[in-house]
Amino acid sequence: MASELLQKILDDIKTAMKARDAETLGTLRTLHSDIKNVSINSGVEITDEIVLDVLAKSLKQKNEAIEMLKNYSILRNKARLDGQKRIKLTKYMGLHKIKFFAGRGSRYLAEKIVECYGTTLGNSDVLEFSDGEFQPAYNESIRGCTVFVIQSTFPPTDNLMELLMMIDAAHRASAHRVVAVIPYFGWARQDRKDRPRVPITARLVANMLIAAGVQRVMTMDLHADQIQGFFDLPMDALYASGIFVPYIQKLQIPDLSIASPDMGGAKRASSYAKHFQAPIIISHKERAKANVVGSMTAIGEVEGRNVIIVDDMIDTAGTICMAANMLMDKGAKSVRAAVTHPVLSGKAYDRINESAIQEVITTDTIPLKEGEDLSKFTVLSVAPIFADVIERVHNYKSISSIFYR
């Protein structure tokens, strides 16, 4: 449906021609030409809502924009515009063509995201050299486009390097904006100096992304929320609770309790407990060394409860399996785990299958290994959440209402 405002502009052009109002006629024709060019070049149909949104961003006040549109004083009083410049619709992200590309490590997830969004992945490939060096390349024009690069940064480090190189390539190819979609943000556990002479690698990764030319970052369930402060640019930190909560509700588990595998996850467990109005259990652990838990005990009522342990990731699965076995020894009816990122290194799969855990509810931010026994795993896709958030960000809509925190 053609924009009523666009038709009003055409009618006012005819009126201005009859009145021989040269200034108004010139401004109206310029605006009409801009709208027509945007529609042809980007394939976006100009609606009243888009015109209002563009004007609101120039005027900083949407109600003022609406009122000025009604009176068309905006077209006769250009001094009211920000910077006293004529409207250039094409400079706003919402009117730029959107393209999706994926790194090799997350192509499986990127295909799901673009399917949910209603489009297809862009054409890109990676040239590999015999010594292990590689070079990603875009095989289609991205000039003036908003480019979303999808890649989790789980090991090996090639995944992070490939993401940085794709961002740099897009930036050098004159993309309008480059957004990094990082479902799993690697190196997030190194968010502070926990002992002398160690790096803060999470901050280093943030610096590298910014240096590569990224202008926005989307991720999910950061290991530490303060990592958002490492970026001096917009960062959308989403929560997997948006898919975990509905799934758990469908299970209709009686006598439900929410557990944290350690003191650091108490806030996350408390958030889930509020959704289900369930009591919380906190496991207190003491590590013998990195990835090795020495001893563990539980704080809270365990006997006769069906427990769900929530965490942001499973690495070696030592902590979560020890917690599950300890809870069962203390009288729990059953133990499940809801964990966002299935890192699952070392003997994690064997530990889970040999433990008291009844079910591991996880996501596809990291692919599960083929050939392993996955009978205890339930994988929920984060693609609908990311597709929805991308659409909202691209069109300047709020994202706070689409996920549980």
Side-chain angles (χ1 to χ4, degrees):
M1 181 177 179
S3 167
E4 294 180 5
L5 288 174
L6 187 57
Q7 185 59 49
K8 182 68 167 62
I9 291 172
L10 294 173
D11 293 341
D12 283 0
I13 288 175
K14 296 177 182 178
T15 302
M17 289 177 66
K18 291 180 181 179
R20 297 185 178 180
D21 185 346
E23 182 179 357
T24 302
L25 178 60
T27 308
L28 286 167
R29 279 179 169 169
T30 298
L31 179 61
H32 177 256
S33 177
D34 282 347
I35 294 174
K36 186 177 179 181
N37 287 336
V38 170
S39 181
I40 292 173
N41 295 334
S42 66
V44 176
E45 182 180 358
I46 304 301
T47 63
D48 291 355
E49 182 180 355
I50 290 178
V51 176
L52 287 173
D53 193 44
V54 169
L55 288 173
K57 286 175 175 60
S58 291
L59 296 169
K60 312 300 183 186
Q61 295 287 338
K62 190 150 189 171
N63 57 348
E64 182 182 357
I66 294 172
E67 188 63 28
M68 294 188 78
L69 266 174
K70 288 179 180 178
N71 300 325
Y72 270 86
S73 58
I74 184 66
L75 302 171
R76 297 187 292 272
N77 185 8
K78 291 185 286 183
R80 296 288 298 278
L81 286 174
D82 183 29
Q84 298 186 358
K85 296 180 180 178
R86 71 182 179 89
I87 304 169
K88 288 190 178 292
L89 298 177
T90 55
K91 74 178 182 178
Y92 294 98
M93 186 200 303
L95 301 179
H96 284 262
K97 189 172 183 180
I98 184 172
K99 289 192 176 184
F100 296 85
F101 295 91
R104 291 171 293 178
S106 295
R107 188 173 184 86
Y108 71 99
L109 177 55
E111 290 173 347
K112 297 178 186 177
I113 292 174
V114 297
E115 182 180 357
C116 292
Y117 191 87
T119 186
T120 57
L121 278 177
N123 185 6
S124 65
D125 59 20
V126 178
L127 174 63
E128 297 186 20
F129 298 92
S130 59
D131 64 348
E133 183 181 333
F134 58 90
Q135 181 186 59
Y138 297 100
N139 295 328
E140 60 186 80
S141 175
I142 55 175
R143 183 180 299 276
C145 297
T146 298
V147 175
F148 287 82
V149 183
I150 304 168
Q151 176 83 306
S152 286
T153 55
F154 55 88
T157 53
D158 284 1
N159 288 328
L160 173 59
M161 192 64 190
E162 184 178 347
L163 173 62
L164 294 169
M165 294 168 73
M166 292 185 74
I167 293 169
D168 181 73
H171 183 68
R172 296 178 186 277
S174 300
H176 170 68
R177 176 171 291 195
V178 184
V179 181
V181 180
I182 312 174
Y184 169 68
F185 189 91
W187 286 274
R189 286 174 285 188
Q190 301 180 46
D191 62 311
R192 65 193 185 281
K193 289 187 67 174
D194 56 349
R195 55 195 177 92
R197 298 175 295 281
V198 296
I200 304 179
T201 312
R203 176 58 189 265
L204 177 61
V205 172
N207 289 344
M208 289 192 293
L209 288 167
I210 294 171
V214 76
Q215 291 159 293
R216 191 182 194 100
V217 174
M218 294 182 183
T219 188
M220 176 169 281
D221 275 352
L222 287 167
H223 186 68
D225 286 337
Q226 62 265 26
I227 291 174
Q228 298 175 56
F230 293 165
F231 291 87
D232 293 324
L233 47 77
M235 184 177 194
D236 303 305
L238 310 180
Y239 296 89
S241 52
I243 54 176
F244 283 156
V245 169
Y247 175 81
I248 295 171
Q249 286 174 335
K250 290 179 181 178
L251 296 178
Q252 297 182 340
I253 302 172
D255 303 319
L256 178 64
S257 288
I258 304 297
S260 169
D262 52 35
M263 299 297 290
K267 183 179 178 181
R268 181 181 293 104
S270 177
S271 176
Y272 277 85
K274 288 178 182 178
H275 283 296
F276 299 108
Q277 297 181 342
I280 185 172
I281 300 169
I282 299 176
S283 301
H284 175 68
K285 66 181 179 182
E286 294 182 1
R287 286 195 179 274
K289 58 182 180 179
N291 289 337
V292 178
V293 179
S295 61
M296 178 176 290
T297 187
I299 303 171
E301 184 63 34
V302 177
E303 188 172 358
R305 310 298 298 181
N306 291 301
V307 182
I308 296 181
I309 303 172
V310 295
D311 206 356
D312 63 305
M313 69 171 71
I314 309 180
D315 187 358
T316 62
T319 299
I320 205 164
C321 290
M322 180 179 285
N325 294 336
M326 179 266 296
L327 291 170
M328 290 298 291
D329 290 342
K330 288 182 175 292
K333 290 181 181 178
S334 66
V335 178
R336 291 177 172 86
V339 186
T340 307
H341 307 298
V343 179
L344 298 172
S345 63
K347 299 181 179 179
Y349 289 94
D350 293 336
R351 288 193 181 101
I352 289 171
N353 289 323
E354 293 170 2
S355 72
I357 297 177
Q358 178 178 325
E359 178 185 17
V360 176
I361 309 163
T362 189
T363 75
D364 53 358
T365 57
I366 299 175
L368 299 180
K369 292 180 181 178
E370 297 181 359
E372 298 287 351
D373 182 1
L374 304 179
S375 58
K376 289 189 175 183
F377 289 83
T378 299
V379 180
L380 307 178
S381 181
V382 298
I385 291 182
F386 277 103
D388 195 0
V389 170
I390 289 170
E391 188 275 330
R392 288 169 181 261
V393 167
H394 187 63
N395 293 294
Y396 306 104
K397 298 177 183 178
S398 171
I399 66 172
S400 60
S401 60
I402 71 167
F403 54 85
Y404 300 91
R405 180 167 183 172

